[in-house]
Amino acid sequence: MQEINIQPLNNALDEQIKQKIDFKTKPLGSLGKLEELAFKICKIQQTLKPSISQPTILVCAGDHGITEEKVSPFPQEVTYQMVMNFLSGGAAINVFSKVHNIKLLVADTGVNYDFADYDGLLHFKINHGTRNFAKEAAMTQQECKQAMANGAQIVSEQLAKGCNVIGFGEMGIGNTTAAAALLCKYGNIHPDKACGAGTGLDAEGIKHKAEVIANALKLHKEVSSPFDVLATFGGYEIATICGAMLKAAELKMTILVDGFIATSALIAAHAIHPQVVDYCIFSHQSNEQGHRLMLEHLKASPLLDLGLRLGEGTGAAIALPILESAVAFVNEMNSFEDAGVSNKE
Amino acid sequence: MQEINIQPLNNALDEQIKQKIDFKTKPLGSLGKLEELAFKICKIQQTLKPSISQPTILVCAGDHGITEEKVSPFPQEVTYQMVMNFLSGGAAINVFSKVHNIKLLVADTGVNYDFADYDGLLHFKINHGTRNFAKEAAMTQQECKQAMANGAQIVSEQLAKGCNVIGFGEMGIGNTTAAAALLCKYGNIHPDKACGAGTGLDAEGIKHKAEVIANALKLHKEVSSPFDVLATFGGYEIATICGAMLKAAELKMTILVDGFIATSALIAAHAIHPQVVDYCIFSHQSNEQGHRLMLEHLKASPLLDLGLRLGEGTGAAIALPILESAVAFVNEMNSFEDAGVSNKE
């Protein structure tokens, strides 16, 4: 596995950051979570003048062998069709990225389709879909390592191009089943609690999905190391995102965490290196059952709760303007002294 | 009082709007509240191609006689000092408006200070602060009518300039006391529940504020018509915003509702003409105690819950990008058919 060297956040500027926020022309604490967010970004960047530079969302797409078990109401070909939709600019993540000035990259990490070259498409295919984890490990150790290294490489390249805030989205029919299995294993959660509707299962479908996971957990009960759990139940896109998040934390970038699948990648990253969470901002509470349990597992508080359950990084994209608000007030608001405004008596 | 003619929302396009949203390339309902928001904006605008045109925030400032009762930890002069801060571009609402491309207007509706002319300052002063409603009605009927008419005039002018989404902010030391009194009277709520910390009262201060309101409610117990309640307990900025909201609804504009004070103006508007709420989007749940009760009174569900309690329209400004996301997905996302993506099996 890639060597990871994530530094704990430095406390040296804490007092100065807090003071800068507290002396803005507003009642103390009156910007609520925006103040916490501003504090965190300042701390990650170790500065009193934070910035959001070339915010980027990387959408990783991959197929899943577990779809053989009929865990999704959509056919597997929707994964490549949606990648084509991303490349033509017509998907939700395209629209939200465009309206909020976010750079969008799409990576084929393991889609069951051979793509030609397109602008904005990164070729990091490991294989034409994972194996069916109801029968065998989804990935070989080598494949999983490679996917993580690919994610790390992409993030390093984006940092070099000037990006300091990066979010991750995904596309992969079947991947809520993989994510739910990861939650069960890392969080010691029962499949009945971890499984939700995904793209639109009914109650019977959700029950079936939970049974598939319960059986797979039995089959792979000997698997225990954080890395092996990821390789066994994860997916190429999830492993790529996991490696990307670890590298982003190592590089002191701000990580914008999306919904159920992206958070499953973070749970894996957290199991491998807990400090990764220090560099994360949780964009939203997804409506997919299990995401709340993931956030609890990570002791995370999300910015938005809009009932989203689309994936693709859409929650991260919609939350980016809130980060921009936080950074802007730190940099641009007057202090009481600047403005000649009387403070509290 | 101004004549108000607010039309109920037309249902004629409901099916078409719903269909347009449902056939976008995403699992059904997976954009959660963003779909409800998109639906509402389409319905207000009676179109399948909604737009946000020249979004504007009008900050109304006014002073309050009730400050004689020591209900705020900040001195009254902070109202005019903060207006000067708005005009110099250094307040929170300036920063958020700028970062989200919102046009910002500031109106002096009754500040206890005589302003010179400034770019972006609208002169609609009724008086140098209201009367102390612990002793007499805050406004005369004529003053309150004039303030409402002023708000209506400003909104009409903004519509003529191309604005179709308008939010309202406020500044006025003492105005959380006025807003809490309005909540008590319109919502039949006890002052102990309606009163919060405002700009930063301690527990004793909050208790005193609740007592001031309880006594005032006794003094003015005969006051009953929606308009008379507003004139008795409100403020110039609150009445101006109330008139502005009623006019905006009449003109079929989308109203972006901010926090505790702006919502108190809406509660007054709602008491005068309940249909006004059909044109409102509730930007956020404020951290000021009592705002939750206001939203319950209006059966409203807010977009954001970031623990804000600053006022100035800051919650409305921070929420505007969410409206932009909603409008953008309706206009720009592909349908399954457009994209050649297989729908649910």
Side-chain angles (χ1 to χ4, degrees):
Chain A
M1 199 168 29
Q2 67 192 126
E3 268 198 44
I4 305 294
N5 180 18
I6 301 175
Q7 299 292 316
L9 292 180
N10 189 331
N11 297 326
L13 292 178
D14 283 12
E15 269 309 304
Q16 282 173 270
I17 299 168
K18 187 172 181 316
Q19 187 151 337
K20 186 163 186 193
I21 290 171
D22 284 350
F23 281 78
K24 297 293 185 183
T25 47
K26 58 175 181 55
L28 200 67
S30 61
L31 283 174
K33 277 193 187 175
L34 225 53
E35 298 191 16
E36 297 168 26
L37 181 58
F39 184 89
K40 182 152 187 175
I41 297 173
C42 287
K43 190 162 177 171
I44 290 172
Q45 299 183 354
Q46 283 294 298
T47 181
L48 298 174
K49 294 183 177 173
S51 66
I52 295 176
S53 169
Q54 210 173 298
T56 299
I57 287 179
L58 171 68
V59 180
C60 295
D63 272 309
H64 291 260
I66 196 71
T67 53
E68 287 173 17
E69 306 298 326
K70 302 195 188 312
V71 289
S72 173
F74 282 87
Q76 192 180 66
E77 74 231 32
V78 168
T79 306
Y80 94 76
Q81 290 170 344
M82 282 301 297
V83 171
M84 298 305 292
N85 197 20
F86 298 148
L87 297 172
S88 78
I93 189 59
N94 297 98
V95 171
F96 298 142
S97 296
K98 188 174 152 204
V99 74
H100 300 310
N101 296 308
I102 298 166
K103 178 176 171 184
L104 182 64
L105 294 172
V106 180
D108 170 16
T109 68
V111 179
N112 188 15
Y113 183 84
D114 291 307
F115 294 98
D117 287 337
Y118 292 89
D119 264 3
L121 177 64
L122 307 176
H123 293 284
F124 284 96
K125 190 196 289 296
I126 305 278
N127 205 336
H128 289 78
T130 56
R131 292 162 199 83
N132 178 354
F133 72 73
K135 295 179 176 160
E136 59 189 317
M139 295 175 264
T140 66
Q141 292 214 340
Q142 186 48 42
E143 284 177 338
C144 187
K145 273 180 206 168
Q146 187 59 53
M148 291 176 72
N150 292 345
Q153 182 188 329
I154 297 169
V155 162
S156 297
E157 287 168 2
Q158 293 312 308
L159 177 77
K161 288 179 181 174
C163 164
N164 68 358
V165 174
I166 189 158
F168 301 98
E170 44 56 50
M171 180 67 218
I173 294 299
N175 68 7
T176 60
T177 305
L182 292 171
L183 170 60
C184 292
K185 196 76 184 178
Y186 289 118
N188 195 24
I189 304 282
H190 192 279
D192 289 349
K193 288 189 179 163
C195 283
T199 52
L201 288 175
D202 57 15
E204 197 178 346
I206 296 173
K207 188 159 167 269
H208 170 65
K209 184 168 157 183
E211 282 165 3
V212 167
I213 292 173
N215 289 332
L217 290 171
K218 272 180 222 157
L219 176 69
H220 301 293
K221 65 176 183 295
E222 307 298 337
V223 175
S224 66
S225 85
F227 173 78
D228 288 342
V229 169
L230 176 62
T232 303
F233 298 98
Y236 299 125
E237 83 283 39
I238 295 173
T240 304
I241 294 171
C242 176
M245 286 172 160
L246 289 168
K247 180 55 88 175
E250 184 174 81
L251 298 174
K252 301 183 187 302
M253 296 166 78
T254 299
I255 301 166
L256 198 45
V257 182
D258 190 46
F260 192 60
I261 317 298
T263 311
S264 80
L266 179 61
I267 283 184
H270 171 261
I272 293 165
H273 206 308
Q275 220 88 47
V276 65
V277 174
D278 290 358
Y279 296 84
C280 290
I281 288 163
F282 293 85
S283 61
H284 76 121
Q285 169 70 67
S286 157
N287 204 34
E288 174 69 13
Q289 181 167 334
H291 193 235
R292 191 174 301 275
L293 298 172
M294 286 182 174
L295 294 181
E296 282 172 15
H297 176 77
L298 296 166
K299 299 182 176 54
S301 168
L303 291 174
L304 298 173
D305 186 359
L306 293 170
L308 307 176
R309 52 177 175 82
L310 173 55
E312 300 179 6
T314 48
I318 292 167
L320 197 268
I322 301 193
L323 275 70
E324 287 173 334
S325 292
V327 163
F329 98 74
V330 174
N331 289 323
E332 297 173 32
M333 258 181 90
N334 275 334
S335 68
F336 282 103
E337 198 177 18
D338 295 336
V341 173
S342 310
N343 205 337
K344 206 168 155 177
E345 280 168 339
Chain B
M1 198 167 33
Q2 66 191 126
E3 267 198 44
I4 304 293
N5 180 18
I6 301 176
Q7 298 294 315
L9 292 180
N10 190 330
N11 297 325
L13 290 179
D14 282 13
E15 269 309 304
Q16 282 172 270
I17 299 168
K18 187 173 183 314
Q19 187 152 336
K20 186 163 186 194
I21 291 171
D22 284 351
F23 281 78
K24 297 293 184 183
T25 48
K26 59 176 180 56
L28 200 66
S30 61
L31 283 174
K33 276 193 187 174
L34 224 53
E35 298 192 14
E36 297 167 27
L37 181 58
F39 184 89
K40 182 152 188 177
I41 297 173
C42 286
K43 191 162 176 171
I44 290 172
Q45 299 184 353
Q46 283 294 298
T47 180
L48 299 174
K49 294 183 176 172
S51 66
I52 295 176
S53 170
Q54 211 173 297
T56 299
I57 287 179
L58 171 68
V59 179
C60 295
D63 272 309
H64 291 260
I66 196 70
T67 53
E68 288 174 15
E69 306 298 326
K70 303 194 188 312
V71 289
S72 173
F74 283 87
Q76 191 180 65
E77 74 231 31
V78 168
T79 305
Y80 94 76
Q81 290 170 345
M82 282 300 299
V83 171
M84 297 306 292
N85 197 20
F86 299 148
L87 296 172
S88 78
I93 189 59
N94 297 98
V95 171
F96 299 142
S97 296
K98 188 174 153 204
V99 74
H100 300 310
N101 296 308
I102 297 166
K103 178 177 171 184
L104 182 64
L105 295 171
V106 180
D108 170 16
T109 69
V111 178
N112 188 15
Y113 183 84
D114 289 308
F115 294 98
D117 287 337
Y118 292 89
D119 265 2
L121 177 65
L122 308 177
H123 293 284
F124 285 96
K125 190 196 290 294
I126 304 278
N127 205 336
H128 290 78
T130 56
R131 291 162 198 83
N132 179 354
F133 73 73
K135 296 180 177 159
E136 58 188 318
M139 295 175 263
T140 65
Q141 292 214 340
Q142 184 49 39
E143 284 176 339
C144 187
K145 272 181 207 167
Q146 186 60 51
M148 291 176 72
N150 291 346
Q153 180 189 330
I154 296 168
V155 162
S156 297
E157 286 168 2
Q158 294 312 309
L159 178 77
K161 289 179 181 174
C163 165
N164 69 358
V165 175
I166 189 157
F168 301 98
E170 46 56 51
M171 180 67 218
I173 295 299
N175 67 7
T176 60
T177 304
L182 292 171
L183 170 60
C184 291
K185 195 77 183 178
Y186 288 119
N188 195 24
I189 305 279
H190 192 279
D192 288 350
K193 288 189 178 162
C195 283
T199 52
L201 288 175
D202 58 15
E204 197 178 345
I206 296 172
K207 187 159 166 269
H208 170 65
K209 184 167 156 182
E211 282 166 3
V212 168
I213 292 173
N215 289 332
L217 290 170
K218 271 179 223 158
L219 175 69
H220 302 292
K221 65 177 183 294
E222 307 299 337
V223 174
S224 66
S225 86
F227 172 78
D228 288 342
V229 169
L230 176 61
T232 303
F233 298 98
Y236 299 126
E237 83 283 38
I238 295 173
T240 304
I241 294 171
C242 176
M245 286 172 160
L246 289 168
K247 180 54 90 176
E250 183 175 83
L251 297 174
K252 300 182 187 302
M253 296 165 79
T254 299
I255 300 165
L256 199 45
V257 182
D258 191 45
F260 192 61
I261 316 299
T263 311
S264 80
L266 179 60
I267 283 184
H270 171 261
I272 293 166
H273 205 308
Q275 219 89 47
V276 64
V277 174
D278 290 358
Y279 295 85
C280 290
I281 289 164
F282 293 85
S283 62
H284 77 120
Q285 169 69 67
S286 157
N287 204 35
E288 174 68 13
Q289 181 167 332
H291 193 233
R292 192 174 302 276
L293 299 172
M294 286 182 175
L295 294 181
E296 281 172 16
H297 176 76
L298 296 166
K299 298 181 177 56
S301 168
L303 290 174
L304 298 172
D305 185 0
L306 294 170
L308 307 176
R309 52 176 176 82
L310 173 54
E312 301 179 6
T314 48
I318 292 168
L320 197 266
I322 301 193
L323 276 69
E324 287 173 334
S325 292
V327 163
F329 98 75
V330 173
N331 288 323
E332 296 174 32
M333 257 182 90
N334 275 333
S335 68
F336 282 103
E337 199 176 18
D338 296 335
V341 173
S342 310
N343 206 334
K344 206 168 155 178
E345 281 170 335

